[in-house]
């Protein structure tokens, strides 16, 4: 699946990008997601768009947040394979 990124990477208070509507954990390691994960993320994006409210606060994703999300994704992947 092609990335829904629109090069507007700003996170709201729930760590959801205000550009593509993906959660930080859905953004990190995008190319390593499975087809089932892509499908679930697409559903999540549609739900978020339908319920979207303009965020009060927004912030850029930090390198540490990126690394933490990558670690969570790897742990989920490892748990799924065990």
């Amino acid at each position: 699946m092609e990335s829904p990124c629109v090069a507007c990477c700003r996170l709201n208070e729930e760590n959801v990008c205000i550009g593509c509507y993906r959660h930080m954990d859905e953004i990190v390691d995008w190319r390593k997601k499975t087809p089932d994960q892509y499908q679930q993320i697409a559903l999540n994006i549609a739900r978020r768009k339908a319920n979207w409210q303009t965020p009060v606060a927004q912030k850029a994703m930090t390198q540490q947040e990126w690394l933490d999300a990558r670690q969570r994704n790897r742990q989920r992947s490892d748990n799924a394979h065990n």
Side-chain angles (χ1 to χ4, degrees), residues 1-53:
M1 177 177 188
E2 186 175 330
S3 173
C5 180
V6 294
C8 177
C9 302
R10 306 296 289 176
L11 301 177
N12 69 8
E13 61 278 355
E14 296 173 343
N15 287 329
V16 173
C17 178
I18 66 169
C20 69
Y21 303 95
R22 290 180 293 168
H23 186 274
M24 178 181 5
D25 290 351
E26 296 168 337
I27 295 169
V28 173
D29 292 332
W30 176 256
R31 288 185 173 85
K32 295 180 181 179
K33 305 286 189 216
T34 67
D36 288 341
Q37 289 172 316
Y38 287 138
Q39 183 177 8
Q40 183 59 53
I41 291 169
L43 292 171
N44 294 346
I45 289 170
R47 179 182 47 79
R48 289 182 189 120
K49 281 184 178 182
N51 297 317
W52 192 255
Q53 295 179 15

Side-chain angles (χ1 to χ4, degrees), residues 44-82:
N44 294 346
I45 289 170
R47 179 182 47 79
R48 289 182 189 120
K49 281 184 178 182
N51 297 317
W52 192 255
Q53 295 179 15
T54 303
V56 174
Q58 54 181 302
K59 62 183 176 121
M61 186 186 310
T62 67
Q63 181 178 13
Q64 189 58 54
E65 287 174 322
W66 179 274
L67 293 172
D68 291 346
R70 175 180 274 173
Q71 183 62 34
R72 284 192 301 274
N73 285 342
R74 288 182 179 164
Q75 288 172 344
R76 287 184 194 126
S77 178
D78 290 345
N79 290 339
H81 291 106
N82 292 330

